Amino acid sequence: MRFIKVFGFTAFLFLAFGSFASGQITSSRSSNDTSTSQIDAAQVASNKVLFDAGVSFKEGLLAYTDGNRPVAGEKFNKSVEVFLYSALNIQKDPKLQGCYNQLIETVYRIEFPYEAQLPQVNNLALTCGWSIDTTIVDAVAKVSRSAAAKTPAGATVATTSVSGRSSTGGPNSGFNSQEFEPSPLDELSKVELTSDELQIESNPVAQQQYQYIQTAVANRSLGFAFQVHPLIQQYINYFRGRGRTTMEVGLYRSGMFMRMARRIFKEEGVPENVAWLGQVESAWKPSAYSSAAASGLWQFIPGTGARYGLQRNAYVDERNSFEEATRASAKYLKFLHDRYNNWELGIAAYNCGEGNVDKAIRRAGVTNFWAAYAYLPSETRVYVPMILATILVANNPNEYGFGHIRPAAPLVYDRVRIPASTNLSLVAQSSDTTVQYLRYLNPHLRGNVTPPVPYIINVPAGKANEIVAVFRRIPATKLNNTNLANTSSGETWQTISNRTGVSVADLMAANQGMATPRGKVFVPVAGNGVNNIVYQRPTTSGAAALPSSVRIVKAKAGDTVQKVAERAGADATVVAKYNGLLPNSVLTAGREIKIPAK
């Protein structure tokens, strides 16, 4: 059952940027001095946002030209977050809005460069009023041009290694937000059947299975008609032998997505079994990426994805989404079937395009896949019978020796419409999960901030109501200046103040109407110095005393609070309490941890 929660509150109108209450210009007639003071304060605050964002952006450029993509990504993210976490209404200040929008676009073009749209760093600097050394600008342009020259047409990503650098030598690995896996179709398309796999008549088992195919097709038991051909059985022979692991992995992973795919294909008027196409395309991996720049469960290339409504911009690549991409695939397959009135030809066109299929039909002189077979691209000649073989195996795994495979449990989640430009950290805190798990449920998100429009995302199952309740309590002006703290029975505002470092007065002001803390409480974040802390209840009662001074250290990938504390020569229990964490809490790379003075 799909569960979609839709917010209906004014946060949408503010595009998730708060208004600058303390510097808002008023129409007061009582004091021109006060009005001038407010204008000056607003200008100072605006200039500070631009300055801080520029510092981080330039640090990102230096890391990028030095070949350190993960650090570059971290700095660019920080540059964007300066805007998100400021107390200013970005959308009402033309200079801030222009700088922010162009910054997002420029970072995207740096991360995924291609010839038609290289990053325009000079234009960004001019818009934002930044001074960037021409040697750095030239170096960025050189790296981007070199990267774009190595990128397949239409590509936006490539496989990345653990370090975040490209494992294939290609440039478009992103910084550290997404990792992609090779599409299985790249290898499957190269399969050449052996003499044993080609045998049917001399193989009693294969002969019996071939007769089963004929019966299944004659009875229309698979929900659609296709023409029986020996190649279908020959690819079944392949899957029962050399290709066994590929089939086993696909049948197992299909459990995560096949229920969703069947529902959507049925809604779009496509036979449910045609959805097994996804197994050959991606082995049911949303992160699959092919040598032809096709991406996602259904392997859309950029042009076809856009044609069927899949957005691809600096914020999202919906080719990697679950439901949106599945529906686009069903719509495309329905169009192709209606074009040829034949499922084999429709599936063929899904692989090689309508132009190639039209040409093959003209040369064959008849609208029939097996007649046009010899005139189709070699990959398509493998693709269609391999999908038909997969459908047959999936519908009767016992017959083909795969009865021992138990499909994975369906991937379940709720769907929630989130306000514009919302940081996933806040959603994670609202649903007692992690940003990493939200990214797993939303592989189409390019970063940790949702698009600058209200947007539906997938969240942990059963958490939609909690998320809606939290977001309805957050004033639009505080959307990206708020963290959450879980409270336990008997806690006071003072104990929460002790472990969050936020004053009792500020906590009570952020949670108006709540006499004593209960459930999730808001923890306001001051200025741009936000640390995305997921506050957790301490393991012991009482709170650590607030030290007079602290120092900040950054966690490395795989660190826990214990490891960070040991490196810093501090007591892990004290550090954990002071940061609202547990000693064994796993930290993300770059996470800032406060180390209390001894």
Side-chain angles (χ1 to χ4, degrees):
M1 177 70 68
R2 285 198 306 167
F3 188 179
I4 302 182
K5 287 287 181 177
V6 180
F7 295 127
F9 56 100
T10 56
F12 293 165
L13 303 179
F14 286 82
L15 289 177
F17 293 107
S19 63
F20 183 47
S22 62
Q24 185 176 355
I25 302 173
T26 69
S27 59
S28 171
R29 300 176 182 176
S30 61
S31 174
N32 288 333
D33 290 341
T34 300
S35 178
T36 301
S37 170
Q38 290 173 332
I39 293 172
D40 291 342
Q43 188 60 57
V44 169
S46 175
N47 290 341
K48 178 170 173 51
V49 168
L50 291 170
F51 176 81
D52 290 347
V55 169
S56 294
F57 179 74
K58 283 181 271 190
E59 290 173 348
L61 293 180
L62 290 172
Y64 174 73
T65 55
D66 194 40
N68 195 335
R69 296 180 69 85
V71 171
E74 178 187 336
K75 296 299 182 181
F76 289 144
N77 284 343
K78 188 173 181 180
S79 180
V80 172
E81 287 173 354
V82 168
F83 288 91
L84 292 176
Y85 295 134
S86 73
L88 300 176
N89 189 328
I90 305 298
Q91 302 302 314
K92 287 191 175 181
D93 185 317
K95 186 172 181 65
L96 290 178
Q97 183 183 28
C99 181
Y100 173 78
N101 291 339
Q102 198 164 335
L103 173 63
I104 292 289
E105 181 67 19
T106 303
V107 169
Y108 174 48
R109 296 305 172 196
I110 292 174
E111 186 173 10
F112 303 113
Y114 64 100
E115 292 284 358
Q117 289 181 304
L118 293 173
Q120 302 297 315
V121 176
N122 270 331
N123 290 347
L124 173 66
L126 185 64
T127 299
C128 300
W130 297 337
S131 176
I132 301 178
D133 193 290
T134 55
T135 57
I136 298 176
V137 175
D138 292 341
V140 171
K142 182 178 180 181
V143 173
S144 298
R145 273 194 295 270
S146 175
K150 299 176 184 176
T151 305
T156 58
V157 288
T159 307
T160 59
S161 65
V162 174
S163 67
R165 290 183 169 84
S166 172
S167 60
T168 61
N172 291 330
S173 59
F175 294 124
N176 51 16
S177 60
Q178 288 178 300
E179 292 195 2
F180 290 79
E181 306 171 73
S183 164
L185 190 55
D186 285 342
E187 292 302 318
L188 289 174
S189 65
K190 301 172 186 174
V191 168
E192 294 184 7
L193 296 172
T194 66
S195 58
D196 287 341
E197 290 162 351
L198 290 169
Q199 290 299 325
I200 297 178
E201 292 184 3
S202 62
N203 183 331
V205 174
Q207 181 65 33
Q208 178 184 345
Q209 292 172 350
Y210 190 48
Q211 291 172 359
Y212 165 74
I213 296 175
Q214 294 170 319
T215 301
V217 171
N219 294 339
R220 292 180 174 266
S221 60
L222 297 173
F224 69 104
F226 59 89
Q227 186 176 337
V228 179
H229 191 279
L231 260 179
I232 301 172
Q233 178 60 46
Q234 289 163 352
Y235 280 110
I236 289 176
N237 293 346
Y238 165 77
F239 283 127
R240 293 180 65 244
R242 288 186 297 151
R244 172 168 289 276
T245 299
T246 299
M247 178 61 71
E248 288 177 339
V249 170
L251 290 176
Y252 171 75
R253 289 187 58 85
S254 71
M256 300 173 68
F257 301 104
M258 196 58 188
R259 187 170 71 180
M260 171 201 70
R262 284 185 179 279
R263 170 179 57 80
I264 290 175
F265 273 52
K266 183 178 181 180
E267 290 171 356
E268 296 297 333
V270 178
E272 295 175 36
N273 271 317
V274 175
W276 285 104
L277 171 148
Q279 180 154 319
V280 174
E281 286 283 359
S282 68
W284 303 108
K285 296 176 181 178
S287 56
Y289 183 78
S290 80
S291 59
S295 191
L297 288 171
W298 306 98
Q299 291 292 283
F300 277 102
I301 60 173
T304 309
R307 177 176 158 191
Y308 284 88
L310 299 179
Q311 298 182 66
R312 180 170 157 268
N313 52 44
Y315 304 92
V316 296
D317 187 343
E318 290 181 342
R319 296 180 302 161
N320 299 108
S321 63
F322 299 158
E323 303 209 11
E324 290 80 5
T326 300
R327 193 167 298 278
S329 175
K331 287 180 180 294
Y332 186 31
L333 283 163
K334 181 68 163 59
F335 163 79
L336 293 171
H337 172 265
D338 291 349
R339 180 186 180 101
Y340 300 110
N341 195 31
N342 180 285
W343 277 113
E344 296 112 297
L345 288 171
I347 292 171
Y350 190 95
N351 176 254
C352 66
E354 300 98 298
N356 282 322
V357 171
D358 291 348
K359 187 188 301 181
I361 291 172
R362 285 197 300 271
R363 296 181 69 180
V366 59
T367 306
N368 177 283
F369 172 77
W370 295 108
Y373 178 86
Y375 307 111
L376 290 166
S378 58
E379 179 184 298
T380 308
R381 295 201 295 267
V382 173
Y383 180 79
V384 175
M386 193 172 278
I387 288 174
L388 296 175
T390 298
I391 291 172
L392 286 157
V393 172
N395 277 270
N396 195 350
N398 289 319
E399 171 74 20
Y400 298 104
F402 293 95
H404 62 289
I405 301 298
R406 294 293 176 266
L411 186 61
V412 293
Y413 46 82
D414 291 347
R415 306 260 287 165
V416 180
R417 189 181 296 277
I418 295 295
S421 301
T422 297
N423 197 299
L424 292 184
S425 175
L426 186 58
V427 183
Q429 294 172 60
S430 304
S431 54
D432 298 311
T433 189
T434 63
V435 171
Q436 288 82 355
Y437 186 61
L438 288 176
R439 294 296 302 275
Y440 172 74
L441 291 178
N442 297 275
H444 54 297
L445 295 180
R446 289 192 182 277
N448 292 342
V449 177
T450 62
V453 292
Y455 194 77
I456 295 175
I457 66 169
N458 304 325
V459 299
K463 292 293 183 178
N465 284 332
E466 293 181 40
I467 296 171
V468 170
V470 167
F471 273 80
R472 280 179 174 164
R473 289 169 52 209
I474 302 177
T477 57
K478 302 295 183 184
L479 191 59
N480 278 306
N481 291 279
T482 300
N483 279 324
L484 297 177
N486 289 325
T487 63
S488 54
S489 178
E491 276 203 284
T492 66
W493 291 118
Q494 185 60 57
T495 60
I496 296 174
S497 173
N498 290 343
R499 65 185 170 92
T500 62
V502 177
S503 71
V504 170
D506 287 344
L507 287 169
M508 294 183 71
N511 295 271
Q512 293 182 16
M514 191 181 291
T516 57
R518 62 182 183 276
K520 288 182 173 67
V521 299
F522 298 140
V523 179
V525 175
N528 297 319
V530 65
N531 293 321
N532 291 323
I533 299 173
V534 181
Y535 294 104
Q536 300 171 336
R537 58 180 293 185
T539 55
T540 58
S541 59
L546 192 64
S548 57
S549 61
V550 296
R551 56 195 172 102
I552 305 294
V553 298
K554 287 191 175 182
K556 300 176 182 177
D559 267 352
T560 62
V561 173
Q562 178 84 33
K563 290 181 181 179
V564 172
E566 288 174 355
R567 281 203 307 270
D571 184 284
T573 302
V574 173
V575 173
K577 284 184 178 180
Y578 186 62
N579 287 274
L581 299 167
L582 302 174
N584 63 350
S585 294
V586 179
L587 307 172
T588 55
R591 172 76 173 268
E592 292 184 347
I593 296 296
K594 299 173 184 177
I595 306 296
K598 295 181 180 178

